[in-house]
Amino acid sequence: MAVETQTLSSCARAATAEEARYRIDRPIAPSRAGRVVALDPGAAEVLRRTAQQEWANARFYICEPAGSGAQDVVLRGIDGGPATLADELASASVVVMVATSDAGADCAYTLGKACWERGIQTAGLVVGDGTQAGTAASAAVAALRPHARVLLPSADEADVVDLLSALRV
Amino acid sequence: MLRQDINELLTRTGPGTPMGELFRQYWMPACLAEELPEDGAPPIRLKLLSERLVAFRDSYGRYGLIDEFCAHRGASMWFGRNEEGGLRCPYHGWKYDTTGQCIEVPSEADNSSFAENVRLTSYPLVKIGDVLWTYMGDPAKQPPLPEFEFALTPAEHHYTSKRWQQSNWLQAFEGGIDSSHVTFLHSGGLKSDPLFKGAKGNQYNLNDKKPFFEVADSDGGLFVGARRNAEEGSYYWRITPWVMPSFTMVPPRGDHPIHGHFWIPIDDENCWAYSFDYHPMRPLTEAERQAMIDGHGVHSKNIPGTYRPEANMDNDYLMNREKQRTGEWYSGVEGIAIQDSSLQESMGPIVDRTKERLVPADSGIIKARQKLYRAAVGLRDKGVTPPGVDPAHHHVRSAAVVLPQKEAFLDAARDDVTVRPGMPISSV
Ligand code: FES
Ligand SMILES: [Fe+2]
């Protein structure tokens, strides 16, 4: 028989407001290197505004088709600076993709797949209405679906901010 | 994480608080009908949204929910004598009807009009299904009665229970839309619980522990879809509806009855978890009803004569480390309901959400908080009627369906998540 190491009432005491005061209170280090990627020009607008706020480690990018094949994409910093997909993903632990239209469907697919292969957690937000077939961003939703761990098909700009804050990026 | 000021706003529901005002826009469960089992039954004490009340059923069968304290010198009306057509305070004999109107003050002359001007605050109390519902807001804005399917099915088709949870309502409710904990915390129940086991869908659950999530707006709140791999080319979707402020349904399993919850604030550090089961197509079987009474499925085994679970914080939820080790009960605590309450209560009465580290899989919770916040602020600043007040928003069902991979879940399952009277639930 196992030795009883706790008093029977330990939960009752430990869960009080009184005891909550003793929760260790140290600053929480940002746990994620977040990369936030706009998949189309509308999304780039959203991220330009979002990037103005204070973020711990988040970096913001625009993704565009490379022109050659549908599978090729190029990444730029939101302020225009150069970036390479492989480098940025190498140091990322979560990638948040934002779309506003179907223009970025190819990018969504390529980026999602690249993250998937590297085991990087992904979230996709479609700002506008992508919930129903035939709406502005339904192809973007379909392209994000296979690889985004979480998909918000009818998000708005505040969702982008709320998600990034909740994730502490 | 969540900003402290938003956490405060979402968790405080007393009179005059923004979230308290939001709750006061809706009909919500006040108690179970079984608590006032017959005309003239003893009155019961209730605290709702930090207001102390007494509910009673008078000699004519009328229900009332009134201020707990007598208008004379403040004695509790819980001691009241439930007499002909009203509840009489046993201290000096003042008597009130179900609307809180004082109808007799014995010390006054027989022809005195004194009593006419004495009235206790009261709220409507209406029986629909197993539940007595109340509306604690502005009478001028009282919405039509609720139309949740579980309460509208014939009595033999449904069962409702409740349990006291010693935590703020929000952390309890958040468990109701947090589909990602099921595969861990409740994994034992998928194999053994009489109200869950044997469904084909359970195997999809157990085979794929990393579901993908989609969170979509609905008229009354959200649909949270969790998808897992099914057979080649298809996904198994479990769809959880949330109707604001705190109605959630659990996706069904096979032909078992379908179930869900209401999370109702008692005060800021306690809430009621209402749990219901129903089958739209048939009466519950004897065995099913007995299993619910015995605390299986989403229900709890309560201390007889109370709504406090037998396994509670005072006995460490009857933690069993041996069952935890074998995995029969993943956390070592028995039963879905107490598995949830034990962990939610362990967070402390109001969890400090500034310390959380959320992950993308928590997006349903993130989005729900945002909708609650917006609704509360929209109501406070602009008087906007929040989602979920309109009874049309109540016509939702959870669903468990296998869909082709290419389909968007709400496109393909719109009918499945909508109440269709006379049609079975969509469940594998
Ligand atoms: S793993 Fe979720 S609270 Fe601990
Ligand atoms: Fe749970």
Side-chain angles (χ1 to χ4, degrees), chain A residues 6-17 20 23-26 28-32 94 116 121-123 130-133 141-142 145-156 158-159 162-163 165-168, chain B residues 1-2 166 208 210-217 227 235 237 269 312-317 321 345-349 351-363 366-367 370 374 405-411 414:
Chain A
Q6 286 136 338
T7 63
L8 270 176
S9 63
S10 56
C11 278
R13 219 172 81 77
T16 57
R23 274 189 75 166
I24 292 174
D25 194 15
R26 302 244 170 86
I28 298 171
S31 49
R32 301 222 173 233
V94 64
W116 182 250
Q121 187 72 278
T122 49
T131 47
Q132 273 168 41
V141 170
R145 180 166 289 121
H147 301 300
R149 176 64 63 188
V150 155
L151 191 55
L152 275 68
S154 54
D156 59 30
D159 284 311
D162 282 2
L163 180 67
S165 337
L167 299 181
R168 294 179 176 279
Chain B
M1 69 144 209
L2 190 70
Q166 292 173 266
D208 184 352
K210 285 188 189 293
F212 283 66
F213 295 97
E214 259 174 65
V215 184
D217 272 300
R227 105 179 178 234
Y235 291 133
W237 283 94
E269 301 193 348
N312 57 53
M313 63 164 68
D314 290 325
N315 53 28
D316 286 343
Y317 309 93
R321 296 289 179 188
E345 291 176 355
S346 80
M347 297 164 161
V351 65
D352 179 357
R353 291 180 173 79
T354 66
K355 292 196 167 70
E356 294 169 334
R357 289 167 183 259
L358 298 184
V359 294
D362 295 313
S363 294
I366 297 169
K367 182 94 188 172
Q370 183 206 64
R374 282 189 188 177
Q405 283 189 353
K406 294 218 162 356
E407 306 253 19
F409 85 92
L410 269 192
D411 266 351
R414 180 60 75 176

Side-chain angles (χ1 to χ4, degrees), chain B residues 13 35 113 116 129 209 234 252 264 322 359 389 393:
Chain B
T13 57
E35 296 178 67
S113 62
E116 278 167 35
K209 299 210 176 215
S234 57
I264 302 298
E322 178 58 18
V359 294
V389 168
H393 297 172

